[in-house]
Amino acid sequence: MYNYKLIIEYDGVKFKGWQRQKYTNETIQEHIETSIEQILKSKITVFGAGRTDAGVSAYNQVANFKYPGLIDFKKFEYSVNSILPHTIALKSISHASPDFHSRFSAAKRQYLYKVTTRKKAIEGNYYYKTVKNIDFKRI
């Protein structure tokens, strides 16, 4: 059994978070698993480094899955990306050690919070807008 590590980028604005849920298919995990299963013709479970909330995006979400066969990385990445919605991208796939688990093997996690005190015409939906004076250095 091989262990594969994925690096994923997604715009989570229209999704219900990372983790698969009973009441909706609009999760990142659901879309990724469905796409990979279509390519590999096999049921798999993708484990993410963290479970983001609804609306949260990621630049480099680490995930992993196990599969008994060898995968041609370049062909796999192209194929999965052709199935995924345009707001989810598989950035890379690589081999991982058999004991690697994206959640439990993580050495660190980094979060980016965007806050503004003015109206933003570009990417405004990705900022938390406040009218209060904020001490950004303290934050």
Side-chain angles (χ1 to χ4, degrees), residues 9-131:
E9 177 178 283
Y10 55 87
D11 178 345
V13 170
K14 294 183 179 179
F15 293 99
K16 304 297 183 197
W18 167 269
Q19 191 171 17
R20 190 181 333 104
Q21 299 176 30
K22 290 180 184 179
Y23 66 89
T24 182
N25 291 335
E26 288 306 309
T27 67
I28 305 300
Q29 183 182 25
E30 181 79 26
H31 280 282
I32 292 169
E33 286 177 349
T34 300
S35 299
I36 291 173
E37 288 171 358
Q38 225 177 310
I39 302 301
L40 298 180
K41 308 281 190 247
S42 181
K43 181 81 174 144
I44 58 105
T45 300
V46 174
F47 299 98
R51 297 182 298 242
T52 56
D53 292 333
V56 173
S57 300
Y59 289 107
N60 292 298
Q61 171 79 306
V62 177
N64 74 290
F65 71 94
K66 296 195 175 190
Y67 178 69
L70 287 172
I71 293 174
D72 177 332
F73 294 156
K74 189 172 183 176
K75 183 178 176 183
F76 180 82
E77 186 179 322
Y78 176 84
S79 299
V80 170
N81 279 327
S82 70
I83 297 169
L84 286 170
H86 72 280
T87 51
I88 303 173
L90 173 58
K91 293 173 75 172
S92 68
I93 178 172
S94 60
H95 286 287
S97 64
D99 61 333
F100 174 80
H101 189 286
S102 57
R103 182 174 166 205
F104 302 117
S105 300
K108 71 175 186 174
R109 290 176 173 83
Q110 185 173 352
Y111 300 91
L112 173 65
Y113 296 92
K114 295 182 177 184
V115 180
T116 185
T117 57
R118 66 175 181 82
K119 180 179 178 180
K120 299 213 37 95
I122 298 173
E123 296 184 346
N125 291 332
Y126 300 96
Y127 284 79
Y128 174 77
K129 185 174 182 301
T130 182
V131 293

